[in-house]
Every structure is written in C-alpha cells, then in structure tokens.
Amino acid sequence: MHEIRRPTVLLLVSLALFFSLCVTLLQTTLFSRVRGSYQLREKDLQTLGDFQTRIQQCVASRGLGLTAHIIDHCKLVLKFPEGTNSTWYNEQFKTYEPLEYRYDVCEAILLWEQYRNMTTILTREYLDARPDGWLEYAAKRIAQLGAKTCYNRTLCEEHLNMILPSKPPFYPRQFKTCAVVGNSGDLLKTEFGQAIDSHDAVIRENEAPVTEQYAKHVGLKRDFRLAARGVAQNMVAVANGSADEVFIIKSVMHRAFKTMIEMLPNPVYLFQGIVLRRGAKGTGMKSIELALSMCDTVDIYGFTVDPGYTEWTRYFSSPRKGHNPLQGRAYYQLLECLGVIRIHSPLRAARDQNCSDIPNRDVIRHAHTAALRLKRAQDGQPEGLGQFGRCKVWGMVGSDAGPVSGAPDMNLTRKNSNYMKWEVMPFEKLRKEAQEHYIEMEGVSLYKMDGNRLDELVCVKHDIRSRLSSH
C-alpha cells in the first residue's frame, strides 16, 4: 500500500513544483513587460518634459515679453507681462480678454505636424470616399442650395464642378519656402517686400492689394490667395494683374460665383481645413494651415504679434474691428516655438533673427513620437499602427486619370485657364522632396473628416505605380 502511494506523492510534489515554476515565470514575464512599458512611458515623459523646457526658453528669447509657465509634460501657460493693458473687450461674455492662455503642447504638435501631410483643397475623391460625402457634406459647401442635403446629386455637382478637381492639385513639400502675408498696418513700418518675393510661393489674404505703391512693404509676387465669402464676390477685381494667382475660397461656393469664375483665367478652389476651437482665428490662421500643407518652411508677415498693439489696422485701408490680438499673439508665438512658423514683424526686424533657439526638426520629431505614443496609450490603441493609424475611412482610386475642374459648358476663358497646369502637372515636375514624400506615403492623400479631432481622417490611396512608371 505504501509503495503505491509513494509515486503518487512524488507526482503531486512534481506537479506543485512545476506549477510554482510556471507562476514564477509568468509573474517575471508580466513584471518585465509592465516594467518595460513603464520605462517607455517614463522616457516619453522625459522627452516631452525636455521639449517643454525648450519651448519655455524659446518663448523667453523670442516672445518679446511673453513667458511660458510649465504645468506638466503637455500643458503650459503663456502669460503677458504684468501691467499689459488689456483693452480688448469681449462683447459676448462682457469681460476683458485675459492676459494668460493655457495650451496643450502635445495636442498642438500632433495637430500641426499632421497638417504637413494633409490635403487642404476640397476634391471629388474626398466627396466620393467620405460617408454621405455627396449627400450631406457637399450641401454644406454650397450656399443658397435650399436644402440641407444633396438629394439631387446632379444639381450639387453643377454647383461644385467649376472648382472641384478630381485629385489634390497641390502636394505636401511642393514648395521649400512660403510667405504668408497678413494685412496688418504694421507692414508699413518695415520693408519686407524683397524678402517676401524671395520665397518659392506667396500666400495673401482677401482683397489685399499688390501694387507698386506697396511693393517695398509687401512685395509683388502672387501665387495663392485665400478669400472669405464676402471678398470672393469681388474676385474679378482682386485678380486684376495676375492670371496665375490661385484663388481658394475659404467658406462656401455661392451660385452667384459661377458667372464670375467663368470670367477668370485664374484657378479657383474650395478650402478643406479644420475648425480651430481655440487660439488665433480668421483667414490668417487658415492661410498658415494652407501653407503648411504645401511648404517645408512657413514665414509669416503682417500679423499682430508685437506688444503694444492697441487697435486693428490694415496697410491699405482704414482700421476695422478684428479678433483679439492678445490671444492671437500668444498662439502664433507657441506655433513658432513648435517649429510650425517663423515670425517677422517690425520689432523683430531690428533683432537678430537667428533661429537656433527654435527646436530643430529632430527634436520636434522625437517630441511628436512621444506625444503620439502617449495619446495612443490614453486612447487604448495598440502600438505599431503606422502612419495611417488615424485613417477611419478609406477610398481607392485606380489611377490619376479623371476630369479636371470645370463644367461641360465652360467658355474658352475657363477652359484655357491656368488651373490646368496644377491638375495635370506631371509627377516628374514636382520638387524632389514632394516626390519622395508621395512615395513614402504610398500614394495616400490625407483629409480631415470634421473639426480638429486628430483621429478622424479620410484617406484616399492612389495607384502609385502609374506615377512611378511615368517617372
């Protein structure tokens, strides 16, 4: 009897030892993974903390009195000096505008670095790929339609065809340097004209004139113009003198525009951007968004970024009321220290414009990677989602062939207009960096879905083989 029990006892002891060993190994493995995950998170926090310090130093050096106060690895406060006269009254909330503004640097760097890869022109491929793109979204881009939905797609196409390219007419990295020229009266205090014209592309706003009268202040080069709805009604007069300048309507297409656009030899498109719920607003910020989607380096001129700005002025007309310049100045300064823009203004014109205090691209890239990992961890998303991790909707196009902008009954002026050179531009004529980026992105165009949410993109994949074979 005892001889029968002994093997059983030994077996049980062996099983117990084996079980203990398995538990120990499992605990060790889990601990190692948790520890590795913690170390990764700790490293990311350190990277973002160092980046915040760099931003703080940049603001101290370039902010002309602004100071950055770090809250944590993502959040900071930009403060104006004590004694700043806050004379800007908010009619909506019946209060004077504050002298400090809170920002989330992690969200900001994710948003603006994403914009470097974005398409900012409304296209046919976007409407085709977006859920209910033609039924619901198209209707939002047409004024005086008389309906909130495009039940009659043919009617909506008639409104949009004139300015609706099949694919993106412009590409990320297409230009090396771009100048975004605002309309501030401060431009008359400096002579930035030659510097502005030295850029590969110049983006202007609304009805700002480009004449010999203002040439030494704002230059003469005309490439792109972002126009609000009110100004878009007068594009024929604004376009006088340049058939090459691309007009981009910021808001909606209006039925009244059709006849006017037919008279223009200029390219005309609709802007497809995001809605910034805070920070600077208006056409100036939209122009920066447009520039960043096409340009490696973005320089801004004629924005309200100097201290002591007490009233709105324009370099070509009498003053009119605008957005709060304090919040705008703070946000532009944040963008400069994030490496998004470079600011030029009267007070800075007399200073050394050495950009060594702005974080370089490698520093920004590491901070962006850390911010992206933290966001995905917070959202419960797995690692390794790649560059298309934010694509919520996919569309596919077989080739780049497709109709260019324009209605079937266009007149000769419109048929021969300069929009053709953008929409049928051969791939090999693109800047080398633009070609390399297109290949790196596997021929995918990225569009925003709605608002300023980072995780909702419409992504359209092109047949990259057709581009490469022609190249």
Side-chain angles (χ1 to χ4, degrees), residues 114 118 390-393 447-451 453-458:
Q114 179 175 275
M118 297 289 292
R390 299 177 203 160
C391 296
K392 295 299 181 185
V393 177
Y447 298 84
K448 287 300 296 180
M449 181 83 81
D450 287 301
R453 295 190 61 177
L454 289 163
D455 53 353
E456 291 190 354
L457 295 183
V458 174

Side-chain angles (χ1 to χ4, degrees), residues 3 10 13 47 102 178 186 190 200-201 210 277 287 313 328 334 367 369 391 443:
E3 293 178 358
L10 289 174
V13 171
T47 297
R102 290 175 174 259
C178 292
D186 273 0
T190 54
D200 297 321
V210 183
R277 296 191 180 97
S287 297
T313 60
L334 174 67
T369 300
C391 296

Side-chain angles (χ1 to χ4, degrees), residues 47-246:
T47 297
L48 291 170
D50 293 343
F51 188 59
Q52 287 276 56
T53 301
R54 292 289 298 270
I55 292 175
Q56 187 178 48
Q57 294 169 349
C58 175
V59 171
S61 174
R62 309 182 70 85
L64 299 176
L66 279 170
T67 55
H69 301 262
I70 298 173
I71 299 175
D72 59 25
H73 58 279
C74 280
K75 296 180 176 58
L76 59 72
V77 179
L78 291 185
K79 294 184 179 182
F80 285 82
E82 290 186 11
T84 301
N85 186 13
S86 179
T87 59
W88 294 84
Y89 189 69
N90 188 313
E91 295 287 350
Q92 179 180 359
F93 299 105
K94 309 301 180 184
T95 59
Y96 286 98
E97 295 290 350
L99 297 179
E100 62 178 57
Y101 299 91
R102 290 175 174 259
Y103 297 109
D104 188 316
V105 171
C106 296
E107 288 186 1
I109 193 172
L110 289 174
L111 179 67
W112 288 98
E113 287 301 305
Q114 179 175 275
Y115 240 90
R116 294 185 185 276
N117 303 322
M118 297 289 292
T119 295
T120 52
I121 301 296
L122 183 66
T123 66
R124 183 177 293 274
E125 69 178 24
Y126 173 80
L127 292 175
D128 288 342
R130 179 189 168 115
D132 294 324
W134 279 103
L135 182 64
E136 295 181 357
Y137 182 79
K140 297 178 181 179
R141 306 309 305 268
I142 304 171
Q144 297 183 344
L145 181 63
K148 294 183 179 180
T149 55
C150 283
Y151 291 119
N152 185 344
R153 173 170 169 170
T154 301
L155 177 62
C156 288
E157 284 188 294
E158 288 177 0
H159 282 87
L160 294 174
N161 274 340
M162 187 70 68
I163 55 174
L164 193 65
S166 292
K167 60 184 178 63
F170 313 112
Y171 298 84
R173 320 291 195 273
Q174 186 157 349
F175 305 101
K176 183 177 181 181
T177 62
C178 292
V180 177
V181 185
N183 297 338
S184 170
D186 273 0
L187 283 165
L188 299 178
K189 300 177 183 178
T190 54
E191 295 185 1
F192 283 133
Q194 187 173 355
I196 290 171
D197 285 347
S198 69
H199 289 75
D200 297 321
V202 177
I203 300 171
R204 302 182 187 273
E205 302 172 15
N206 292 320
E207 71 270 43
V210 183
T211 62
E212 290 292 344
Q213 178 183 356
Y214 302 110
K216 66 180 180 180
H217 302 293
V218 302
L220 293 172
K221 187 174 172 62
R222 305 168 64 167
D223 297 295
F224 298 91
R225 186 178 297 263
L226 191 62
R229 176 177 168 180
V231 176
Q233 297 178 14
N234 191 34
M235 283 192 293
V236 173
V238 174
N240 183 36
S242 176
D244 292 317
E245 189 172 30
V246 179

Side-chain angles (χ1 to χ4, degrees), residues 272-410:
Q272 168 67 13
I274 60 173
V275 178
L276 286 169
R277 296 191 180 97
R278 62 177 305 155
K281 301 177 181 179
T283 306
M285 183 55 66
K286 297 298 181 185
S287 297
I288 292 174
E289 295 172 22
L290 173 67
L292 201 67
S293 71
M294 300 187 294
C295 315
D296 281 343
T297 302
V298 178
D299 294 289
I300 69 169
Y301 302 82
F303 285 70
T304 55
V305 292
D306 286 345
Y309 200 88
T310 56
E311 65 175 350
W312 279 94
T313 60
R314 295 200 293 182
Y315 76 85
F316 55 88
S317 67
S318 58
R320 68 177 184 180
K321 189 175 181 180
H323 307 291
N324 168 31
L326 297 181
Q327 186 174 12
R329 182 184 165 217
Y331 196 64
Y332 290 132
Q333 186 57 64
L334 174 67
L335 292 187
E336 183 175 49
C337 288
L338 286 174
V340 176
I341 58 175
R342 297 190 303 196
I343 298 172
H344 302 265
S345 69
L347 286 184
R348 287 163 175 259
R351 301 180 64 190
D352 181 14
Q353 283 287 23
N354 186 348
C355 296
S356 60
D357 48 3
I358 298 176
N360 60 39
R361 291 304 307 166
D362 284 338
V363 172
I364 294 169
R365 192 176 298 111
H366 288 135
H368 176 269
T369 300
L372 183 58
R373 274 202 292 256
L374 283 181
K375 175 172 175 55
R376 286 179 173 172
Q378 292 169 355
D379 294 344
Q381 295 177 329
E383 289 283 348
L385 289 178
Q387 58 187 349
F388 305 121
R390 299 177 203 160
C391 296
K392 295 299 181 185
V393 177
W394 279 92
M396 302 288 289
V397 290
S399 69
D400 287 333
V404 293
S405 303
D409 59 348
M410 281 196 305

